[in-house]
Amino acid sequence: MKPHWETWAEEAKAEFPRANSALLPLLHRIQAEEGYLSPQTLAEVAGLLDLAVPYVESVVSFYSLFYQRPTGRRVIHVCTGLSCALSGSDQLMHRLEAKLGIQQGQTTPDGEYTLLEAECLAACDKAPVAQVNLRYRESVDLEAAEELLKGEVES
Amino acid sequence: MSQARRYLLRNQDIPDIDRIEVYEANQGYQALRQAFNQYEPAALVEMVKASGLRGRGGAGFPTGVKWSFLPDDGRPRYLVVNSDEAEPGTFKDRELIEHNPHQLIEGMIISSYATRAREAYIYCRGEFRRGAEQLRRAVAEAYRHGYLGENILDSGFSLDIKIYRGAGAYICGEESALLESLEGERGNPRLKPPFPAVAGLYGMPTVVNNVETICNLPPLVLNGAEWYRTMGTEKSPGLKIMSVSGPVNRPGNYEIPLATRLRVLIDEYAGGMRDQRGIKAVIPGGSSVPVLTADQLDTPLDYESVLAAGSMLGSGGCIVIDERTCMVGVAARLLKFYREESCGKCTPCREGTYWMTDVLNRIEAGEGKPGDLELIADMADNIGGKVFCPLGDAALGVVVSAMKHFADEFEAHIKEHACPMGARLYYDTVNH
């Protein structure tokens, strides 16, 4: 556990009328720093908020944006909703899988890329869309697919 | 097309309206002053009732009526804004929060004043990183300018707004699941009644409204209930944002007077079909509603007319499907979404969406068996009306209506062990 997590926990608790509401905000903050939520981290978060460990595990497992395995420096979400599918998101996913040598749901061995499928990302007018570390990339045709893998990204 | 004056989507006309100075220079926070000066809270609720404004998240419940359900028992009250937009085909709330967050904040202050809430929350979809940043920045600006906090504009009214990020779960757009999530739980829906108005956030009286609904408040206060009723119909007055996607020339968000015809939305607002393609079907209100067919394009887009046509206006997520697209593929893709997003709490939804998707996938793959369509219909029967929350019913909308209107396509997949049109869902437009 990092010492400042305690401060973060107190800040999150202070923001809401009931302490349980602090759980998701604290998990977001810690994951942004750590990249994912290890079993050890979940136990520590439970301790910080006076919650049972299985309760925290149960909550975390419900939400797709909480990662319980290490992720790459670049987490790529490809939207596979209907509007994106009509614009070729499956081909986009296949291209990225081939390029990275992994299947969706996996992380490259060098820890650089995680490739995930996203449900409708609410950007259907710019289909097909993807996100890199939750930043939108719009109208990603196959030529633009490689752009998802390049350039600087925020963590 | 020459666009009528915009009210909700002024961000499309005014650059940088997401900044408070620009927002203020364009009548921003004038509605709030007017609300404080002209209305007692109860009178404001009556005005909203009189306007006929209905919830824009999908259900279309009258907003003022919803507000008046709050019991007057001295307990703290909460306003919760649902910004968990994840209904496939819908992308209006994201534009509203990213590009004009102060409009939402002003609407929230007015709504909280009307409902006498002292604390308000925005539940922002976890994937909306930019949206959450914009909201945080705008809320901080609003505090600095005296629109939030204690004794706002010397009105005696005080309000705090907090932003809460979801973490990836479609079901949290359902209001009771949203409240569970806001309380740090898994997003499983609650049994109703009690409704949130009586026992909502932390068990207190709570109003849950959609982003677009609340964004109607500033123009409504400035222009009045009668103005609102100059648009739309008696039962569906006012403005609605429609998100148009699919192979049209100008996909995007369009603000329409309700009862605008579907054909006008597609041809005039969205610029018509790309390459003059024919229309096979339209999903008019997000992926949870039945499809309309090409002979229904004259349907006026208001709640009653779309319902009479066999679908629902829903969230206004309008997905246009062209004549070359395979409806089995469309149905399979959407059903997979509901299977992924079922919270798993109740069996008909969890198991039903799972097995229906499997059977649909095998039909699409050309491996369907005689009797598979009856099997799907039977499973749909065992979901519809027998589930805990609206998600299970929503999963059936497109599948059941597509099987009804395009039965020949489904049957041909089974008989010919392939798509009769040689079409695949995913062949098209950008990535071919």
Side-chain angles (χ1 to χ4, degrees):
Chain A
M1 186 167 78
K2 298 189 174 155
H4 55 270
W5 291 3
E6 243 169 286
T7 318
W8 287 0
E10 291 313 311
E11 284 171 9
K13 276 195 266 189
E15 198 178 349
F16 301 100
R18 305 237 176 123
N20 282 23
S21 291
L23 179 57
L24 267 65
L26 183 59
L27 290 168
H28 273 304
R29 217 166 163 185
I30 291 175
Q31 181 173 277
E33 186 176 79
E34 298 286 297
Y36 80 112
L37 301 165
S38 69
Q40 169 82 15
T41 300
L42 296 187
E44 287 161 357
V45 166
L48 286 168
L49 297 178
D50 287 325
L51 298 169
V53 177
Y55 172 82
V56 173
E57 290 169 345
S58 158
V59 170
V60 165
S61 69
F62 188 85
Y63 297 97
S64 61
L65 289 182
F66 288 138
Y67 311 132
Q68 291 187 264
R69 280 178 297 178
T71 51
R73 216 168 54 82
R74 228 177 258 259
V75 177
I76 301 168
H77 279 102
V78 176
C79 179
T80 57
L82 178 58
S83 299
C84 283
L86 290 170
S87 295
S89 61
D90 285 16
Q91 288 91 326
L92 174 60
M93 181 65 96
H94 293 151
R95 173 68 61 94
L96 291 170
E97 285 177 334
K99 188 80 197 160
L100 295 172
I102 55 172
Q103 301 287 306
Q104 55 170 290
Q106 297 178 338
T107 298
T108 53
D110 62 1
E112 194 62 21
Y113 304 100
T114 297
L115 184 61
L116 299 171
E117 175 186 55
E119 298 299 346
C120 182
L121 286 171
C124 317
D125 53 339
K126 302 292 190 318
V129 296
Q131 287 185 329
V132 179
N133 293 354
L134 303 185
R135 297 291 183 198
Y136 281 93
R137 303 292 182 90
E138 300 173 339
S139 307
V140 190
D141 59 23
L142 289 179
E143 288 71 46
E146 310 219 345
E147 300 300 317
L148 297 176
L149 311 178
K150 295 184 207 151
E152 284 306 302
V153 286
E154 305 158 76
S155 57
Chain B
M1 172 199 169
S2 67
Q3 170 72 45
R5 184 179 162 188
R6 277 183 269 254
Y7 293 89
L8 306 173
L9 290 173
R10 289 196 302 156
N11 58 284
Q12 296 182 355
D13 303 312
I14 305 169
D16 300 325
I17 198 168
D18 60 323
R19 315 202 65 80
I20 196 164
E21 294 79 13
V22 178
Y23 185 70
E24 284 175 322
N26 287 280
Q27 286 190 298
Y29 292 104
Q30 288 305 318
L32 178 62
R33 289 171 212 276
Q34 208 167 313
F36 286 151
N37 293 336
Q38 290 183 2
Y39 294 98
E40 289 299 315
L44 202 45
V45 175
E46 288 309 309
M47 190 277 281
V48 173
K49 269 193 205 170
S51 76
L53 172 64
R54 294 167 63 169
R56 301 296 190 225
F61 193 83
T63 305
V65 176
K66 194 179 208 180
W67 290 2
S68 64
F69 287 154
L70 292 169
D72 207 358
D73 55 9
R75 288 184 295 161
R77 295 165 160 199
Y78 296 108
L79 171 73
V80 176
V81 170
N82 185 344
S83 179
D84 195 42
E85 182 177 59
E87 170 85 359
T90 314
F91 46 92
K92 64 194 176 61
D93 297 337
R94 189 168 74 84
E95 176 167 349
L96 291 169
I97 61 170
E98 284 187 359
H99 296 281
N100 196 354
H102 283 289
Q103 171 175 250
L104 174 65
I105 293 166
E106 184 177 15
M108 287 177 71
I109 306 168
I110 295 168
S111 306
S112 300
Y113 172 67
T115 56
R116 287 177 289 146
R118 174 72 182 71
E119 254 180 61
Y121 292 82
I122 304 171
Y123 186 96
C124 184
R125 184 174 172 191
E127 287 84 347
F128 292 174
R129 183 172 180 176
R130 168 95 179 132
E133 286 167 355
Q134 283 287 74
L135 288 169
R136 280 188 213 287
R137 185 184 55 74
V139 164
E141 283 180 334
Y143 272 103
R144 278 202 301 278
H145 285 241
Y147 299 122
L148 288 173
E150 295 297 316
N151 189 22
I152 298 164
L153 302 175
D154 281 325
S155 62
F157 178 72
S158 304
L159 180 71
D160 287 312
I161 290 183
K162 289 168 185 173
I163 292 146
Y164 190 93
R165 273 183 74 201
Y170 167 72
I171 188 60
C172 291
E174 193 279 329
E175 62 178 7
S176 70
L178 183 155
L179 294 172
E180 285 289 297
S181 180
L182 195 39
E183 293 184 12
E185 302 275 351
R186 294 166 67 92
N188 290 327
R190 295 175 179 172
L191 188 64
K192 297 181 194 177
F195 289 91
V198 175
L201 184 60
Y202 310 123
M204 301 300 168
T206 303
V207 168
V208 184
N209 278 145
N210 167 260
V211 168
E212 183 190 348
T213 310
I214 296 294
C215 286
N216 273 272
L217 265 294
L220 186 51
V221 168
L222 284 175
N223 301 291
E226 281 178 28
W227 161 77
Y228 206 69
R229 286 196 164 278
T230 61
M231 300 169 287
T233 65
E234 171 67 25
K235 287 184 176 168
S236 297
L239 298 163
K240 174 84 190 88
I241 300 176
M242 300 296 292
S243 306
V244 186
S245 66
V248 294
N249 280 313
R250 288 194 301 270
N253 283 319
Y254 297 100
E255 179 178 320
I256 61 165
L258 279 159
T260 300
R261 288 180 196 278
L262 177 56
R263 186 188 300 283
V264 173
L265 177 69
I266 295 171
D267 286 347
E268 296 181 24
Y269 286 82
M273 295 299 283
R274 208 184 297 158
D275 313 326
Q276 268 93 51
R277 289 182 207 173
I279 294 174
K280 179 186 270 189
V282 179
I283 300 171
S287 63
S288 300
V289 309
V291 298
L292 296 177
T293 50
D295 57 353
Q296 294 180 299
L297 295 177
D298 286 318
T299 305
L301 295 170
D302 60 79
Y303 295 97
E304 288 69 32
S305 301
V306 181
L307 194 62
S311 186
M312 285 181 282
L313 188 60
S315 63
C318 179
I319 306 174
V320 184
I321 296 163
D322 73 39
E323 60 196 352
R324 301 187 307 190
T325 302
C326 166
M327 291 306 289
V328 179
V330 167
R333 175 59 54 132
L334 287 179
L335 202 53
K336 171 192 148 288
F337 167 77
Y338 291 95
R339 171 164 92 170
E340 294 292 323
E341 296 300 331
S342 172
C343 81
K345 176 168 172 156
C346 75
T347 310
C349 176
R350 182 187 65 240
E351 298 296 317
T353 55
Y354 185 91
W355 290 106
M356 275 177 81
T357 306
D358 258 17
V359 176
L360 257 180
N361 282 346
R362 87 175 169 222
I363 294 173
E364 197 201 2
E367 293 160 11
K369 301 170 187 168
D372 271 359
L373 296 180
E374 293 74 16
L375 181 58
I376 289 178
D378 184 47
M379 287 192 276
D381 244 10
N382 281 295
I383 297 175
K386 300 179 178 72
V387 283
F388 197 82
C389 87
L391 190 145
D393 289 302
L396 306 178
V398 167
V399 178
V400 171
S401 62
M403 279 176 50
K404 177 176 147 200
H405 295 303
F406 303 97
D408 50 337
E409 278 187 40
F410 285 79
E411 285 159 8
H413 272 77
I414 294 176
K415 279 200 201 105
E416 298 168 26
H417 299 289
C419 179
M421 311 151 63
R424 295 174 59 223
L425 174 58
Y426 338 105
Y427 53 50
D428 201 23
T429 56
V430 180
N431 287 325
H432 41 97

